[in-house]
Amino acid sequence: MTFMDGASQSQEPMGEPARPQASAAVQVRGLVKSFGSGETSVTVLKGIDLDVYFGELLLLVGESGGGKTTLLSAIAGILDIDAGDLQVLGTSLTSMSPGTRTKFRGRTMGFIYQQFNLLPALTAAENVSVPLLIQNNRKSEAIERARLMLERVGLGDRTEFLPKNLSGGQQQRVAIARALVNEPQLLVCDEPTAALDGPNGHKIMELIRDVGRASDRCVIVVTHDSRVFQPSHEDSQSVQCLARPRRRDARGLDGPDRRQTDAHADGIDRTAPVPL
């Protein structure tokens, strides 16, 4: 697994909960996760330490089966961990009950999955409106905001289509609109551009980067897509690959707007640059 970082300006974030300047949106300490039991047990994450700051875009890149999606799922609070601590937006996920964690996710996070997970009986606009309805927004307002977000992803003329009448790429864009409509503080993305062609892939990455530019938000992306590493000329978040830590607490600085995250996982490499 490779950790790549799109650094941006650190400013005093606004909104709730209150946070100090340049504070970490995500703090992972000693995270361990295994699957199976007994002789068939496989430890996927072995003592991960990671800080992700507000106003950042962090990329997790590596071979399939390296634990990227497992780490992302743990940070998002949808996968229980075996050991360690997870602090997200100043709150400990490991100390939350399942019900409290679910409400916290709905209030603060947006998710883009490899699978679209659209509700087949709902139109595109209705699917996108679901996070807003969960937060008790009025249906008329939720649908209007959903339509506006669908326009931003290039589907303004598909708002009333059912998922079965949309192409795979269009369904992916509906799922992305759903993740962004609630203006989440933490956006987690698992291969967000995998089903998209070149122009639409770049358009979606610009939307994702816009979230990461905000000083009170951050974005974590799992990807194999080299287009993700190609910021626009206006993008100050030029994505870079981080150096491999030689010890668990390794951290370094590389220029005024760049940093190395405090990340480690049983010899997992963070080499620069890496061929993809």
Side-chain angles (χ1 to χ4, degrees):
M1 191 193 311
T2 303
F3 295 81
M4 303 180 72
D5 175 39
S8 65
Q9 297 177 353
S10 295
Q11 303 176 9
E12 185 72 23
M14 303 297 291
E16 295 294 329
R19 295 176 291 271
Q21 185 175 12
S23 61
V26 175
Q27 291 183 306
V28 180
R29 294 293 180 269
L31 191 153
V32 176
K33 179 61 183 178
S34 300
F35 294 96
S37 60
E39 294 182 356
T40 63
S41 177
V42 176
T43 302
V44 178
L45 302 178
K46 303 177 182 180
I48 293 279
D49 290 341
L50 175 67
D51 288 339
V52 189
Y53 290 89
F54 289 103
E56 281 193 326
L57 168 66
L58 179 73
L59 307 182
L60 303 179
V61 184
E63 69 283 356
S64 297
K68 303 182 302 299
T69 297
T70 301
L71 176 58
L72 194 73
S73 298
I75 291 172
I78 57 179
L79 183 68
D80 291 332
I81 63 174
D82 300 332
D85 184 56
L86 283 168
Q87 298 277 337
V88 177
L89 304 176
T91 303
S92 174
L93 292 186
T94 48
S95 63
M96 286 183 181
S97 67
T100 301
R101 196 186 308 163
T102 297
K103 292 178 181 178
F104 179 77
R105 286 199 306 267
R107 196 171 62 248
T108 62
M109 301 183 195
F111 304 88
I112 302 174
Y113 303 101
Q114 290 184 24
Q115 295 79 26
F116 310 137
N117 295 325
L118 301 180
L119 299 173
L122 300 184
T123 67
E126 289 169 338
N127 266 285
V128 174
S129 72
V130 167
L132 299 173
L133 295 174
I134 291 174
Q135 297 302 313
N136 298 318
N137 286 269
R138 289 185 303 172
K139 183 175 181 179
S140 59
E141 176 186 347
I143 292 294
E144 180 59 26
R145 288 174 61 181
R147 287 171 175 160
L148 291 173
M149 183 55 67
L150 285 167
E151 288 183 8
R152 291 189 64 187
V153 299
L155 292 176
D157 59 346
R158 296 290 191 273
T159 60
E160 303 308 311
F161 281 49
L162 293 173
K164 67 180 182 181
N165 297 322
L166 298 171
S167 68
Q170 289 170 338
Q171 290 184 49
Q172 177 73 315
R173 282 186 277 165
V174 172
I176 290 168
R178 181 183 57 193
L180 297 175
V181 72
N182 206 28
E183 300 183 351
Q185 291 173 279
L186 173 61
L187 180 63
V188 292
C189 313
D190 195 355
E191 299 287 358
T193 59
L196 303 179
D197 59 21
N200 285 314
H202 284 295
K203 179 185 295 185
I204 293 307
M205 276 313 302
E206 280 304 303
L207 284 174
I208 291 173
R209 289 178 187 279
D210 283 345
V211 177
R213 290 185 181 102
S215 62
D216 62 344
R217 301 180 189 177
C218 79
V219 180
I220 304 174
V221 180
V222 165
T223 186
H224 293 92
D225 190 346
S226 61
R227 293 173 300 180
V228 174
F229 316 140
Q230 300 171 11
S232 67
H233 295 299
E234 295 81 11
D235 196 349
S236 63
Q237 290 181 300
S238 55
V239 175
Q240 61 180 339
C241 197
L242 301 181
R244 180 185 307 183
R246 288 182 172 80
R247 56 185 183 279
R248 186 178 180 110
D249 62 350
R251 178 180 296 206
L253 297 176
D254 183 16
D257 292 322
R258 299 180 180 180
R259 72 169 183 87
Q260 294 180 346
T261 58
D262 183 13
H264 174 80
D266 191 38
I268 283 175
D269 291 346
R270 297 188 296 167
T271 55
V274 290
L276 299 173

